[in-house]
Amino acid sequence: MRLVIAILGVAMFAAIAALVSVARTGPNGLQGPPAPTARTWDWPAAAPTDPAMRAHPRLLSGFIIPLGDVDVPDEEQYLPNSPREYRAGYHEGIDFPTAAATPVLAAKAGTIVRVDTAFAEWTPDEEEAAFNAALALGFTRPATLDRIRGRQVWIDHGAGIVTRYAHLSAVAPLHVGDTVQQGQLIGAVGSSGYREGGPHLHFEIRVGEDFYGDGLPLPQLRYAISAAFR
């Protein structure tokens, strides 16, 4: 009887090992990339009570942080709505300071609607002229803001939601119309468009023509960002 139990135990162990092996290698026997790990803020203890400066359309969710195993910065200067006095404007995304060439991942599955395979840096004179014009106007023109963001990839997630990945040093071999999966490699961190900022990923979630969190007081903004990365 003990011999039978021992034989059954060995057979069961072999079957489990085989299943684990298949799960790791996939149907083609190739080692697949590890599943992306979403890192988030904890939920705030309670919903914020400060009145919003403007009504936000809705809370979003289901995104992963596009650098993998990192946290959203706590500092207000890295978040949407923080002032950018050098160009008389406001920040429209989340900045993730990190090493140059760090892989950038798709925060959610979607369709590529922009990929800057060719990008030319502007000259110091062009940059200075653009910033001086912004200061004179009291706001940053959209074309100037786009140039500041440098090399970019944009992904359309449907329902008017688009994510933007900016200041990239390089992009993956992608084309407009390609479908990408959550966690797929789309580029690498750089400082294109605004060298003074150093290497970092500028990440935006766009809701229609607006950016996610536009005008929200800081407690509500952090609540909305926390919701997005769950």
Side-chain angles (χ1 to χ4, degrees):
M1 184 66 179
R2 289 180 180 178
L3 179 60
V4 172
I5 293 174
I7 293 172
L8 289 175
V10 170
M12 183 177 297
F13 178 81
I16 292 173
L19 288 174
V20 170
S21 176
V22 170
R24 284 179 177 173
T25 59
N28 298 321
L30 299 176
Q31 185 70 32
T37 301
R39 293 288 299 276
T40 78
W41 272 323
D42 292 333
W43 280 99
T49 56
D50 293 348
M53 295 170 62
R54 58 186 297 169
H56 201 275
R58 64 186 182 277
L59 290 176
L60 303 180
S61 63
F63 297 88
I64 64 167
I65 293 174
L67 296 176
D69 194 22
V70 301
D71 291 315
V72 176
D74 285 325
E75 297 89 337
E76 187 176 356
Q77 65 177 342
Y78 296 133
L79 304 180
N81 302 317
S82 59
R84 293 294 185 262
E85 295 178 356
Y86 69 90
R87 58 174 179 82
Y90 292 87
H91 200 222
E92 298 188 358
I94 304 170
D95 280 348
F96 293 91
T98 189
T102 298
V104 176
L105 313 176
K108 203 172 193 178
T111 303
I112 298 291
V113 292
R114 173 175 174 173
V115 53
D116 293 342
T117 53
F119 174 78
E121 289 284 358
W122 52 4
T123 67
D125 289 342
E126 289 173 331
E127 182 182 63
E128 182 180 6
F131 292 166
N132 287 340
L135 292 173
L137 288 169
F139 66 92
T140 311
R141 289 191 178 103
T144 299
L145 194 55
D146 187 71
R147 193 73 181 272
I148 292 171
R149 292 188 182 108
R151 184 180 287 105
Q152 302 174 65
V153 171
W154 295 5
I155 303 176
D156 187 345
H157 307 285
I161 309 300
V162 173
T163 51
R164 298 179 178 180
Y165 311 76
H167 302 307
L168 302 178
S169 60
V171 296
L174 299 166
H175 302 88
V176 172
D178 285 353
T179 298
V180 293
Q181 301 304 312
Q182 186 176 60
Q184 183 173 330
L185 178 69
I186 59 171
V189 169
S191 56
S192 59
Y194 189 58
R195 298 294 183 186
E196 296 86 341
H200 68 283
L201 174 68
H202 173 87
F203 173 71
E204 293 182 19
I205 302 176
R206 308 294 298 194
V207 182
E209 297 300 318
D210 210 355
F211 63 90
Y212 187 62
D214 185 10
L216 293 180
L218 189 58
Q220 287 188 331
L221 175 65
R222 285 183 166 158
Y223 188 85
I225 291 174
S226 176
F229 291 117
R230 290 193 70 87

